Amino acid sequence: MLILYAHPFSSYAWKALIALYEKGIAFDYRALETAEPFTHYDELRSHWPVGQFPLIVDDGVPHFESSIIIEYLDQKIAEPPLIPADPQVALDVRFLDRIFDNHFQARFQAVVAEYLPFITEKPDLARIARARDLLEKAYGWLETKLPDDGWATPHGFSLADCSAAPALFYADWVHPIDPRHARVRAYRARLLARPSVARCIEEARPYRSFFPLEVPDRD
């Protein structure tokens, strides 16, 4: 059986989990540091010494980096497709995947990192302001690109949406989406209602105390 190393509260873990749930792939979930014995990190590092996750092992072969994991899963189980077969359409999906990772995930994580004592002794308010400003700009750009309904592209639920769900879930906690970005707010709500995403939210709920900022009384 395919093995997944991840933590339920991790945004990048969600990205891989959403794809696994969408495809109905059975897997051995070796959640990191959630229950004794705490040996899963050692197993993970035996495959990838850097120790980052998510990481899957299938037939003894490790695959890591969330986008690559989803590409691999799409090759393994064709239905439902998360990356369109048409090369140009697939390029659009991959482009949005990178946007959500680099301009939403990276920005909210930059803010969160400022409040983690093992990373910074004192929050850098200027750095936080820059990250929030970049998130605001990204929300504004996304508002012009999203449809009024449906998913990130006209081609159905895809890799881009697997990436968008955790990115927008946590980004909105760090820098709430302004009501003027009505399409972004509606898209986030549609994502959170998707069964695969809702499952990730519920699995992560016991770990919300890990979030170093105030957790909104919603979601």
Side-chain angles (χ1 to χ4, degrees), residues 85-159:
D86 181 279
Q88 184 56 53
V89 176
L91 192 63
D92 294 339
V93 166
R94 290 187 176 100
F95 167 70
L96 283 173
D97 169 61
R98 304 323 306 137
I99 290 291
F100 287 119
D101 275 7
N102 294 325
H103 298 279
F104 290 90
Q105 292 241 35
R107 305 310 178 197
F108 86 69
Q109 288 179 341
V111 175
V112 170
E114 290 298 317
Y115 292 93
L116 295 173
F118 59 87
I119 294 179
T120 54
E121 292 184 6
K122 182 180 179 181
D124 185 323
L125 298 184
R127 200 174 294 162
I128 291 167
R130 283 196 298 274
R132 286 183 165 149
D133 179 62
L134 289 168
L135 265 178
E136 184 61 36
K137 288 182 169 68
Y139 289 150
W141 177 87
L142 186 61
E143 178 70 16
T144 69
K145 303 299 179 183
L146 287 172
D148 291 327
D149 202 358
W151 306 113
T153 75
H155 312 289
F157 195 88
S158 72
L159 164 68

Side-chain angles (χ1 to χ4, degrees), residues 36-87:
E36 293 184 1
F38 298 126
T39 59
H40 292 162
Y41 250 128
D42 292 336
E43 295 174 21
L44 167 64
R45 289 192 182 98
S46 73
H47 297 292
W48 177 220
V50 170
Q52 289 178 312
F53 53 86
L55 182 147
I56 64 171
V57 179
D58 192 23
D59 197 22
V61 179
H63 305 272
F64 47 96
E65 295 296 332
S66 56
S67 297
I68 299 303
I69 288 172
I70 295 174
E71 294 258 7
Y72 174 77
L73 296 175
D74 222 41
Q75 293 175 13
K76 181 180 177 69
I77 304 291
E79 297 295 332
L82 296 175
I83 301 167
D86 181 279

Side-chain angles (χ1 to χ4, degrees), residues 27-40:
F27 62 97
D28 177 1
Y29 192 167
R30 299 192 183 174
L32 301 167
E33 305 302 294
T34 57
E36 293 184 1
F38 298 126
T39 59
H40 292 162

